[in-house]
Amino acid sequence: SDDEDLLQNEDIPELEMGFANIIVVDNLPVVPPEKYEKLENVLRKIYGQLGVIREGGLWMPTDPETKKTQGYCFIEFNTPQEAEFAMEKTRGYKLDKSHIFAVNMFDDFEKYMKVPDEWAPAEIKPYTPGENLLKWLTDDKARDQFVIRAGTFTEVYWNDARRAMPELVYQKQYWTDSYIQWSPLGTHLATVHRQGAQVWGGDDKFVRLMRFLHPQLKLIDFSPGEKYLITYSSHEPSNPIDTHRVVLNIFDVRTGKVMREFKGSADDFTTGGNMGVSGVSWPIFRWGGGRDDKYFARLGKNVISVYDTETFALIDKKSLKVENVVDFSWSPTDPIISLFVPELGGGNQPARMSLVQIPGKEEIRQKNLFSVSDCKMYWQNNGEYLAVQVDRYTKTKKSIYTGFELFRIKERDIPIEVFELDNKNDKIIAFAWEPKGHRFAVIHGDGPKPDISFYTMKAVNNNVSRVSKLTTLKGKQANALFWSPAGRFIVLAGMRGFNGQLEFFNVDELETMATGEHFMATDIMWDPTGRYLATAVTSVHEMENGFQIWSFNGKQIYKVLKDQFYQFQWRPRPPSLLTPEKEEDISKNLKRYSKKYEQEDQDVHHLLDEEERKRRTRLQEVWEAWVAKWKQLHEDEGAFRMQLRGGEDSDKEEEAEYKEIEAEELVDVTEETVAFDLDQE
Amino acid sequence: MRPILMKGHERPLTFLKYNRDGDLLFSCAKDHTPTVWYADNGDRLGTYRGHNGAVWSCDVSRHSTRLITGSADQTAKLWDVKTGKELFTFRFDAPARSVDLAIGDHLAVITTDSFMGNMPTAQVKRIAEDLQEQTEESALVISGITGRINRAVWGPGNRTIITAGEDATIRIWDSETGKLLKESDKEVGHQKAISSLSKSLDWSHFLTGSLDKSAKLWDARTLTLIKTYVTERPVNAVDISPTLDHVVIGGGQDAMNVTMTDRRAGKFEAKFFHKILEEEIGGVKGHFGPINALAFNPDGRSFSSGGEDGYVRLHHFDPEYFNIKMLQLRDLPSTPERT
């Protein structure tokens, strides 16, 4: 299997041999036996703080003749990570003026001794042409792909909506050890294994393109332009009261080279955000500056550390200092960071929202906010708008009301517009910008059926753009918003408690196109073109696992049941190569283009009908053959059956004769003497 | 279709059986009391009192004179259908489960569960015309099956006995000698316990329902797999329509086994499939819990379902049901709801 290849071919630190947790400390003072214990205690004191020294793990060899120490010692820890940590921390440690520690891993000695004395020039391998990584985009039926994981299989399919079925491209059992993920532009499929990550791609065969070694890998993240892959693992400390150790590597995807690695305790990496898997909010490093993959940053204590990908070092060699910063996010397209600092000193220092330009680190816009209890930032996907949802306490501190600060990023001076819902006490359940558009949708309300309001940023009022409401839909069974990636259409979904209600809404016309339901749906995803919607029930639920494909206007196209269903992911597409002008030209002349495709659709339709008809006739014929055979056998046994029934020929399906019989039943006889008054007439 | 609700049982339903004439419906439940109803309007006629445990199944003789029931109280009982009188008791060392009368009504096959070290068995008993001659003696005992036997029925001509149960394997036995004649193929057969089994009118093929969320149609003589019907829920009950090419499948998970509650109240369905095309034609919703029993009326014009909720629901089909034309061409498949 591929996993075994990985183990044999790479130089993996030999974790199984037991020497990886030993360090050699050199340049120790040479001491006579009397001072031996004192030196040992000093060493224990230094190294005991960095890790747990194994029982009997400190050995200072002595010269058998002079009985003095030789000037170096071996220290064995419980884990290789502790050993490496100790080595890094004590390298160059000044015990005194003439004794500066030289610390190395025990295994390194062997490695360096193996370096040959003669330099041999590197072998030049013959050129092998690479795979066509973009093959899937050339499908003549313009279909999209998706990958699913069910049971132990991972399978890639074409979404063939014309034939109302998925067409298998490639499948493999045990392709991944935990989960899979497409790269952001769809070029690679990444799989996660115990030894690291692998990426696959090419045409229909999905060959392995690169391996990334990272033992005990847990999570991965691609940069938006697919140039880099960040991998993460968390390791248990040998001392249970210590925090986990965290290792992050940044690989160049094409070459597989490690560009930078980060190591530290989990505490260093868990500032801010919600505690996610492994106690850390993933991704830890967030990419900025759009698809150029120029910058990545992470949140630290009172700092935001921003690195650039030229040097893989901090910009200006230092982090951006922001006291008490709680959260930040990048603009999806420009190198701008928005950050939030909460209120301090019981209201003495107000909360602050700020936009910082990278790499210069200038603050290009900022606003103080008062009485803030919480703050959330939502960027529109073209980087044109930023909405900051600010929850505030009322004066009595008993209830919360919400307002929005809307930043128009692309306009001069970045104007900020303050905006509140009609009922500002309404709780905000969901907020979403229209992709590539100027509208946003909000689900708000306190009751069991909240309202949904739509707004546009482009209403003009006295030559100034103002936000304005388009409509409010009252009393909807929805708690999540899913805009089509092309904008214009949105699915209002009721998940969890609403059990999978779907409403397909046209935001241009402001009317509902269709409603549907996928009972207990856990995931809702648009395809990258915005033509189709996938809804799925994953193995979070025990029954009815599988997925459904809908058209953008709410027509159910097909449904697939798959037990133990774990993942569904559309294959992303790279951005269109057409210029905006060409796109407009096609929209205008749509009729001309559609004629050609309509004819194709008709042809396929007829073919399908014909195939279906043939299939059904075939099934019918096979069945009739069975029935004829059974009839024959049944008749043959007829006599035998009659015998079993004691001569009764009761096989005949004669109609039972229903005769209506009138039965008279004497119920009761009583004699009653009636007094007859002869006077009355 | 108008459903008639019949509430008479206090515990979940386990089995439903129509008599041959189609005017009576017998229901069994976990509440110890099998009940008989008018099949047309759902009026209750009466109950058969005498069992001390859940009643798992029943069968009725050809002329609707005798009823046989199998119960967890380790007995199978013979009853007079009309008067409700208990005629005879077969005692066993373990709970009795499935009962089936042979052609001619002179033999019955009764299964017992494994209990206190005893293995499950399928036993053949003679049924005498004259009660005086009735004995408890077994004419044949089939053993050697490790999993619980959920259904044991007579094959065509009483020559064979067909068993199906927890070990997901269907077996055909010689009814004279008790020898194992055939076993279902493990590859194509069910992957989880078989919960139910229903024979066609002429005993030539039968339908099995399994917890593996599918139902399968088999040839009763050769045990060849003919059709498979796939659903989304574990299957507890199945039946074959006597007049049209339809099968009905019902199920849902036992309340005890579900880790999350199904908040779709009243949405447990009986699903109808086209027998030949293996495609779903529609479903009938209404039960508040998993469906445990299904039966078509022998005239094919109505069917009844029994649920975990203790209700029996009787449905007479609308005229459109008889006009479903699957073998003609239609638009690309969609599932019309027929409620």
Side-chain angles (χ1 to χ4, degrees), chain A residues 60-99:
Chain A
M60 238 181 343
T62 52
D63 188 306
E65 286 180 7
T66 65
K67 297 273 190 275
K68 289 192 184 162
T69 63
Q70 306 230 15
Y72 57 88
C73 76
F74 300 91
I75 304 184
E76 182 177 350
F77 294 90
N78 278 330
T79 66
Q81 286 83 4
E82 284 178 313
E84 277 181 41
F85 183 66
M87 172 186 82
E88 282 162 26
K89 286 281 186 228
T90 55
R91 203 171 241 176
Y93 179 80
K94 278 196 183 140
L95 187 62
D96 58 45
K97 227 184 333 179
S98 43
H99 293 104

Side-chain angles (χ1 to χ4, degrees), chain A residues 111-134:
Chain A
K111 188 164 78 164
Y112 292 130
M113 288 206 294
K114 281 202 187 124
V115 176
D117 291 332
E118 294 281 325
W119 174 74
E123 224 182 271
I124 299 179
K125 295 198 193 110
Y127 173 71
T128 46
E131 291 284 325
N132 179 359
L133 299 177
L134 299 175

Side-chain angles (χ1 to χ4, degrees), chain A residues 610-628:
Chain A
E610 192 54 43
E611 273 180 26
E612 186 63 18
R613 209 202 312 257
K614 283 207 200 114
R615 182 181 80 95
R616 288 178 183 202
T617 337
R618 221 179 331 120
L619 282 174
Q620 175 77 336
E621 281 167 9
V622 168
W623 181 258
E624 273 163 14
W626 278 106
V627 171

Side-chain angles (χ1 to χ4, degrees), chain A residues 8 21 104 136 162 179 181 185 245 247 307 335 349 386 397 404 409 418 452-453 483 488-489 501 526 564 611 618 667:
Chain A
Q8 281 159 19
N21 40 346
N104 287 291
W136 97 97
R162 238 191 234 157
Y179 69 103
Q181 194 173 313
L185 302 176
R245 301 247 322 133
V247 177
Y307 303 80
Q349 199 179 336
L386 169 67
K397 295 247 172 188
F404 289 88
I409 308 288
V418 179
I452 306 182
S453 298
W483 282 96
R488 295 178 60 201
F489 304 102
Q501 298 295 321
W526 283 93
Q564 292 185 307
E611 273 180 26
R618 221 179 331 120
V667 177

